[in-house]
Amino acid sequence: MPKSTRDFVDFTKVKKSVTIVQILEYYGLTSKLSQKGDSYSGPCPIHNGDNPTQFRVSISKNCWNCFGQCKRGGNILDFVSLKEGVSVREAALRIQKWFGVESPKPAGKSDGPSPTPKPKPEPASNADPEPDSKTVNSPLTFSLQHLDPAHPYLAERELTEETIRTFGLGFCKKGLLEGRIAIPIHSPSGELVAYAGRWPGEPSDNTPKYKLPAGFKKSLELFNLHRAIQRQSEEPLVIVEGYFDCIKLWQHGVKRVVALMGSTLSAAQAELIRNHTNAQSLVLVMLDEDEAGRSGRQEIVCRLSRFCFLKLHQFENTDTQPEHLSAEQVRHIIGGVP
């Protein structure tokens, strides 16, 4: 039987039209949860838990997470889907009906049977803009030659010769990244897709700290993933922000480590992690202890908790970064992960 117009679902519009707070109010749950600032917390209403801190809701991020039996999280569609025991599509249809969200069929579409639309993941806040349909960074057709691996800046970052050699780091004296430390970036399969250029030291106000080639989309890659996936999957996968955070942890023996190349996790990066983890995998998130890092942690919880077990590490001092940790401190943190 042909589907009517009302059976069409614009998942993006549904998610933008209804907030997680409205969903909680619909179920009469806001009075059962404690609100503090931007968040709600309380027993999980999905598996009817009794731990008062196992269920968290971020109002500004419009997402939720259960750290208890569910070990799940996500947006309003995920919540209603689990709460009602229905598919994500059916959850969207119910939300449309409950809140009067109109989702007309796009012009030119027939009323005949068609494949079920799939919800598109929303990009992480502050992630790279994605105005086009590019989904892959093409491999480079060249590699930078004659990079200087003995530049004083690399010694200042306390990197060993072995580490510098493994990551292919070096000072570029001329050409594309002249005057910068070249950092090779690879695809998951190990193909060279770009170089990041780090200014050696603190740059002046009009000089960017990092330089990336035009057309390269860092939101499609995870730095060092091609090395990390060669390790045993039983090892925790550690996620950090920056190149040197990642490189330094690798030097300290944490080989299964990747960097976001920023403080936000894009949908494409989340998919890369999903492809190389499973429900039993442990992912340790270790972002900088600043406002951007704290915001990024919440976004990561919303995206990754659906398919793996997450542990968030928070530093006591706000100016601490993973790169600053000693080998002993790293072993203590990783050793404390179950």
Side-chain angles (χ1 to χ4, degrees):
M1 181 179 293
K3 294 180 180 178
S4 65
T5 301
R6 68 179 182 178
D7 288 329
F8 175 77
V9 181
D10 184 336
F11 292 94
T12 300
K13 183 173 182 180
V14 171
K15 288 187 287 185
K16 287 183 177 180
S17 301
V18 181
T19 68
I20 187 65
V21 175
Q22 288 176 297
I23 294 295
L24 294 175
E25 290 175 342
Y26 176 84
Y27 284 108
L29 296 172
T30 51
S31 61
K32 301 177 183 179
L33 301 172
S34 300
Q35 182 179 4
K36 184 177 181 181
D38 181 57
S39 64
Y40 279 97
S41 64
C44 178
I46 296 175
H47 75 269
N48 296 319
D50 55 13
N51 186 320
T53 62
Q54 66 186 180
F55 180 75
R56 306 280 181 83
V57 171
S58 170
I59 299 173
S60 61
K61 297 291 184 182
N62 209 32
C63 65
W64 62 276
N65 190 75
C66 171
F67 295 94
Q69 181 179 323
C70 294
K71 290 186 173 63
R72 299 287 296 273
N75 54 43
I76 60 170
L77 300 180
D78 302 304
F79 183 88
V80 174
S81 173
L82 290 172
K83 184 71 174 171
E84 300 286 314
V86 298
S87 68
V88 170
R89 185 177 188 278
E90 178 60 29
L93 288 171
R94 295 189 184 191
I95 293 173
Q96 281 187 165
K97 181 179 179 180
W98 296 342
F99 295 93
V101 179
E102 295 185 2
S103 195
K105 183 172 292 188
K109 297 290 184 179
S110 69
D111 287 331
S114 60
T116 300
K118 296 182 179 180
K120 296 181 180 180
E122 296 177 319
S125 58
N126 300 321
D128 289 350
E130 300 188 15
D132 53 34
S133 58
K134 183 175 181 179
T135 58
V136 176
N137 288 309
S138 301
L140 295 184
T141 57
F142 67 92
S143 61
L144 296 180
Q145 303 296 316
H146 309 300
L147 298 176
D148 180 11
H151 192 276
Y153 179 76
L154 295 173
E156 291 174 12
R157 304 297 291 245
E158 300 181 346
L159 301 180
T160 66
E161 291 183 8
E162 179 187 359
T163 298
I164 294 170
R165 184 170 57 253
T166 297
F167 284 86
L169 310 175
F171 181 73
C172 189
K173 298 179 180 179
K174 59 181 180 179
L176 182 67
L177 296 175
E178 182 176 355
R180 292 176 176 268
I181 300 294
I183 307 171
I185 303 172
H186 299 81
S187 69
S189 61
E191 295 176 305
L192 180 63
V193 292
Y195 285 94
R198 174 57 159 96
W199 186 262
E202 289 303 315
S204 58
D205 292 340
N206 59 348
T207 301
K209 184 179 292 186
Y210 282 98
K211 181 179 180 182
L212 290 167
F216 171 72
K217 296 178 71 63
K218 67 178 183 179
S219 60
L220 298 178
E221 310 294 345
L222 284 168
F223 179 69
N224 198 50
L225 180 62
H226 69 298
R227 296 185 188 91
I229 59 179
Q230 300 302 316
R231 306 293 298 183
Q232 294 293 328
S233 60
E234 291 78 12
E235 298 178 27
L237 176 66
V238 181
I239 299 177
V240 296
E241 290 187 31
Y243 304 98
F244 288 97
D245 292 324
C246 178
I247 294 170
K248 200 65 173 292
L249 288 186
W250 187 95
Q251 181 172 288
H252 287 328
V254 182
K255 308 300 184 183
R256 194 167 159 81
V257 57
V258 297
L260 301 175
M261 298 179 283
S263 59
T264 57
L265 177 77
S266 70
Q269 290 173 325
E271 184 65 12
L272 286 175
I273 294 173
R274 188 188 69 81
N275 290 339
H276 297 287
T277 57
N278 54 51
Q280 286 72 48
S281 298
L282 175 60
V283 176
L284 175 61
V285 181
M286 196 185 298
L287 304 190
D288 295 356
E289 203 58 52
D290 54 17
E291 184 176 349
R294 289 190 293 272
S295 176
R297 280 199 298 262
Q298 183 64 47
E299 188 73 34
I300 290 173
V301 167
C302 292
R303 288 192 182 277
L304 300 189
S305 59
R306 308 177 199 180
F307 52 79
C308 63
F309 182 72
L310 285 176
K311 181 177 176 63
L312 306 180
H313 179 78
Q314 296 179 253
F315 297 106
E316 294 182 1
N317 299 321
T318 57
D319 59 347
T320 302
Q321 298 175 2
E323 182 192 358
H324 301 153
L325 298 173
S326 67
E328 183 178 352
Q329 289 173 316
V330 170
R331 284 193 295 270
H332 176 74
I333 293 171
I334 303 300
V337 174

